[in-house]
Amino acid sequence: MTAKATYHHGDLRNALVETATELVRAGGGESFSLRDAAAKLGVSANATYRHFDSKSALLTAVADVGAEKLGQKMRRKVAEAERQNERGDATTLAIAWFKATGRAYVAFAIEEPEIFRVMYGPHGVCQYARARAGQPPADPTGALILGEAVDRLVSAGVIGPENRAGGDVRAWTVFHGFSSAVVEGASYFPTKAARGQALEELLDFTLRGLGATMLTA
Amino acid sequence: MTAKATYHHGDLRNALVETATELVRAGGGESFSLRDAAAKLGVSANATYRHFDSKSALLTAVADVGAEKLGQKMRRKVAEAERQNERGDATTLAIAWFKATGRAYVAFAIEEPEIFRVMYGPHGVCQYARARAGQPPADPTGALILGEAVDRLVSAGVIGPENRAGGDVRAWTVFHGFSSAVVEGASYFPTKAARGQALEELLDFTLRGLGATMLTA
DNA sequence: GCCGCATGTTCACGGTGTCAACGTCGGAGG
DNA sequence: CCTCCGACGTTGACACCGTGAACATGCGGC
């Protein structure tokens, strides 16, 4: 933006996060190098230390914006689902909401596998939360929206109130497990369609596990 | 064993894998260094290249023995469950079997978090399988035993035959998601008991998702 | 207009994975 | 029994990495 070709960069911090994100996306978090990122911005490697304590801290920032993007994606997909089912009853809507969160989570992991890996790797969101214990983790959005989705299932009577507590965590476990499996290649799906179908079956599986008897949306 | 204090080591390959496993266990796969491992064995760093193409290959080997240990643990726990329920009916036994696999998987992740991370990281089992595409992945045992557990659920009538296909993958998804969450610290449990209870609830959740109406074991 | 301090730079160090060329033995073939 | 060869390990070197310390630059407030 205000990129003056001068000694001072202007907004190096954000530029670094952005470039680092790009590099991670391209080559993975393992091969990412501080010097590369700096060089790509025409800046000396040590300049980064004015904005981040370490390479790890920069990767943590990358993970943070990743977490935020994930949250946004979940919000967006849920809003979209709501729009498409605006004429449906509460049950349909609640199920659509819930499934949208799961689809969004998995979709993010598929679109941004390397970022996803960093987010849940040693520099990621969780480590971040642990390091600054007391402060909230980087992405409350995702967790909150999932909690809200489960609340809606309860309100609509899709699942019993006894399944509210911990329901969001269990759902997250499934979504994350599937995403992780896909990203790491643990579960191989020959086609996109096969993977999609597996996900849909998994969503039904999850709803059933939460105590739902009605699964369609 | 036959550790002659001579020029030639005797069994450097296995010694390297063992030492690497130890170092990873202690300091994590990120900080693991080839030179450290070699030094610990009183051997030059480049000696490793007679047995492994790269550092990554060595870590892959570490992941492989990890996968094998995981498989063994699952076998052992299942056998134990079978012994404890030898007087139970087929239903009880099938459920006990199934739950034992899940508990074993999670227990391994908790006992060996760093190895677990390496196993599902960039050098891990899945990458390994992909690299040598065509060859089976390092650990068929875990997958096989889980498949057998689901088969037993079907045979005992705990779940319907329509839930057999993909049931093992879905169960694995849950187990792995929970393990991953615990290892990465995404889900924090204040006490071991709380974590244990969450796992038990998750096992019931999984069975319900698979279509079971009876959950006790 | 000057000066302080945030921001970048340069120089330096120890450590890492890996390549190339060279030693050293143990075991097979005469 | 000797010889030699190939598997195994060594040394030296290189490029790259994260990071610390000391120095340079120039924008914003007095």
Side-chain angles (χ1 to χ4, degrees), chain B residues 152-167:
Chain B
R152 287 201 170 216
L153 288 175
V154 174
S155 302
V158 179
I159 70 177
E162 74 278 10
N163 287 305
R164 181 197 298 245

Side-chain angles (χ1 to χ4, degrees), chain B residues 6-21:
Chain B
T6 67
Y7 194 88
H8 287 68
H9 183 281
D11 188 19
L12 190 63
R13 181 174 219 284
N14 290 332
L16 271 173
V17 175
E18 200 171 323
T19 303
T21 300

Side-chain angles (χ1 to χ4, degrees), chain A residues 11-64:
Chain A
D11 188 19
L12 189 63
R13 182 174 218 282
N14 290 331
L16 271 173
V17 175
E18 199 172 322
T19 303
T21 300
E22 228 167 279
L23 288 177
V24 166
R25 187 159 25 220
E30 291 250 311
S31 71
F32 166 74
S33 129
L34 215 55
R35 290 168 121 103
D36 273 2
K40 199 164 183 184
L41 290 169
V43 141
S44 96
N46 275 335
T48 61
Y49 284 88
R50 294 289 165 194
H51 304 277
F52 299 96
D53 283 347
S54 65
K55 171 187 180 178
S56 182
L58 175 51
L59 284 177
T60 298
V62 169
D64 278 7

Side-chain angles (χ1 to χ4, degrees), chain A residues 65-133:
Chain A
V65 325
E68 195 164 338
K69 280 182 192 166
L70 170 57
Q72 287 170 3
K73 190 182 192 76
M74 289 174 83
R75 274 190 198 290
R76 213 178 324 123
K77 281 259 191 180
V78 162
E80 190 181 318
E82 188 149 27
R83 227 176 308 121
Q84 288 178 353
N85 291 78
E86 60 186 345
R87 300 198 165 277
D89 56 359
T91 301
T92 307
L93 194 56
I95 293 178
W97 244 72
F98 178 79
K99 289 191 173 182
T101 62
R103 294 194 192 105
Y105 195 97
V106 173
F108 179 85
I110 291 171
E111 287 163 19
E112 296 281 22
E114 296 298 346
I115 306 293
F116 184 81
R117 257 200 270 261
V118 169
M119 280 169 60
Y120 294 100
H123 315 284
V125 183
C126 314
Q127 192 78 7
Y128 172 72
R130 206 180 310 153
R132 310 200 189 170

Side-chain angles (χ1 to χ4, degrees), chain B residues 93-130:
Chain B
L93 194 57
I95 293 177
W97 244 73
F98 177 78
K99 288 191 174 183
T101 61
R103 293 195 192 104
Y105 194 97
V106 173
F108 178 85
I110 290 172
E111 287 164 18
E112 296 281 21
E114 296 297 345
I115 306 292
F116 184 80
R117 257 201 270 263
V118 169
M119 280 169 59
Y120 294 101
H123 316 284
V125 183
C126 314
Q127 193 77 7
Y128 172 70
R130 206 180 311 151

Side-chain angles (χ1 to χ4, degrees), chain B residues 32-189:
Chain B
F32 166 74
S33 128
L34 215 57
R35 290 168 123 103
D36 274 1
K40 199 166 183 183
L41 289 170
V43 142
S44 96
N46 275 333
T48 60
Y49 284 88
R50 293 288 164 195
H51 304 278
F52 298 96
D53 284 345
S54 65
K55 172 187 180 180
S56 182
L58 175 51
L59 283 177
T60 299
V62 169
D64 279 5
V65 323
E68 195 163 338
K69 281 183 191 164
L70 170 55
Q72 286 171 4
K73 190 181 192 76
M74 289 175 81
R75 275 191 196 289
R76 214 178 322 123
K77 282 257 189 179
V78 162
E80 190 181 315
E82 188 149 26
R83 228 177 307 120
Q84 288 178 353
N85 291 78
E86 61 186 347
R87 299 200 166 276
D89 56 359
T91 301
T92 306
L93 194 57
I95 293 177
W97 244 73
F98 177 78
K99 288 191 174 183
T101 61
R103 293 195 192 104
Y105 194 97
V106 173
F108 178 85
I110 290 172
E111 287 164 18
E112 296 281 21
E114 296 297 345
I115 306 292
F116 184 80
R117 257 201 270 263
V118 169
M119 280 169 59
Y120 294 101
H123 316 284
V125 183
C126 314
Q127 193 77 7
Y128 172 70
R130 206 180 311 151
R132 310 198 188 174
Q135 294 195 24
D139 169 42
T141 308
L144 284 181
I145 210 170
L146 197 49
E148 200 175 337
V150 172
D151 281 350
R152 287 201 170 216
L153 288 175
V154 174
S155 302
V158 179
I159 70 177
E162 74 278 10
N163 287 305
R164 181 197 298 245
D168 52 349
V169 175
R170 285 193 272 280
W172 182 88
T173 298
V174 177
F175 300 163
H176 184 73
F178 188 78
S179 303
S180 171
V182 170
V183 166
E184 307 300 349
S187 291
Y188 175 69
F189 300 107

